[in-house]
Amino acid sequence: MARILFVLTGATHWTLADGSAHPTGFWAEEAVVPYRVFTEAGHEVVAATPGGVVPTVDRGSLAPEFNGGEEGAAAMEAELAGIAAFQHPVELADVSLDGYDAVFYPGGHGPMEDLSADAVSGALLNAALASGKPLGIVCHAPAALLATATGPGGASPFAGYRLTGFTNVEETQAGFADKARWLLQDRLVQLGADFQEGAPWAPHTVTDRNLHTGQNPASAGPLAAEILKALG
């Protein structure tokens, strides 16, 4: 049995370019589906957040249109409510990577607000990358990579890695590209990542060494399956 650390955003909003606060948090599918994949395979999941706050779900991610209808939305909400690990997260600053076999970052717009500038998370990501342990990051969660720059030159260990994340096209189609302070794809390219863009909204995962990334919510399940394979 492996022990897998989920690092979830502690944010409840995303600050837009005009200074307004858009309510958000983590995206339900990107946390619930991987949790299900891992636990059904017999693994343990521990959740961590900045400050140890109980993570907030983006209510939009529980809407029928994102869950195949009313029945699917109700099922997603019920499954989420039954995940005790998400209701009792540990403090991210207290986490020791030695205690885990893999690390997984669910997305949602929340990471754009807090994890993108969280030095504790950035240090954990750098350590996870260096450890060789499977590291999974999906959708908007690669925003956390922006906090991984180290040294006087501000270089990130993730520079040069092939990866994916929520694309500019998808952000435009979601209606936020012209409201955002910055776009994830642009910042990852500026970081030096080799960004791999798939078709909008279709499952798309990229693996480079021990880094496994998924483009969008539909990629969360396939990404979790990749992590399972990496765990052996």
Side-chain angles (χ1 to χ4, degrees):
M1 182 186 78
R3 199 161 183 247
I4 303 169
L5 177 70
F6 271 40
V7 179
L8 292 150
T9 176
T12 59
H13 71 277
W14 176 34
T15 305
L16 302 179
D18 64 0
S20 64
H22 172 69
T24 188
F26 68 90
W27 198 259
E29 181 179 3
E30 296 169 25
V32 171
V33 173
Y35 178 89
R36 183 197 309 148
V37 169
F38 295 141
T39 55
E40 286 184 351
H43 302 308
E44 178 189 2
V45 171
V46 176
T49 61
V53 301
V54 176
T56 297
V57 65
D58 188 317
R59 298 302 301 179
S61 68
L62 297 173
E65 58 264 36
F66 296 119
N67 292 282
E70 294 283 354
E71 187 174 330
M76 178 65 74
E77 187 157 13
E79 188 172 0
L80 177 60
I83 299 177
F86 295 170
Q87 301 304 314
H88 303 282
V90 300
E91 157 69 77
L92 184 59
D94 294 337
V95 167
S96 170
L97 183 62
D98 292 342
Y100 300 94
D101 302 290
V103 178
F104 191 87
Y105 275 65
H109 278 118
M112 301 276 281
E113 184 72 21
D114 62 350
L115 296 180
S116 63
D118 190 298
V120 172
S121 170
L124 175 69
L125 285 165
N126 289 344
L129 189 70
S131 74
K133 296 176 181 181
L135 172 59
I137 315 175
V138 65
C139 201
H140 285 91
L145 300 183
L146 303 181
T148 63
T150 58
S156 168
F158 290 84
Y161 273 75
R162 290 183 299 105
L163 55 77
T164 191
F166 205 65
T167 66
N168 290 355
V169 170
E170 287 167 324
E171 202 72 87
T172 299
Q173 293 178 357
F176 285 106
D178 60 347
K179 301 174 184 176
R181 291 176 296 169
W182 46 269
L183 298 178
L184 178 60
Q185 181 176 349
D186 291 347
R187 285 293 177 90
L188 291 173
V189 171
Q190 291 170 13
L191 190 74
D194 180 3
F195 193 91
Q196 307 281 305
E197 182 174 356
W201 310 108
H204 178 60
T205 64
V206 175
T207 293
D208 188 346
R209 289 156 279 185
N210 63 316
L211 176 64
H212 308 264
T213 51
Q215 180 172 313
N216 47 36
S219 306
L223 182 62
E226 291 292 331
I227 299 293
L228 278 187
K229 286 196 295 184
L231 284 169

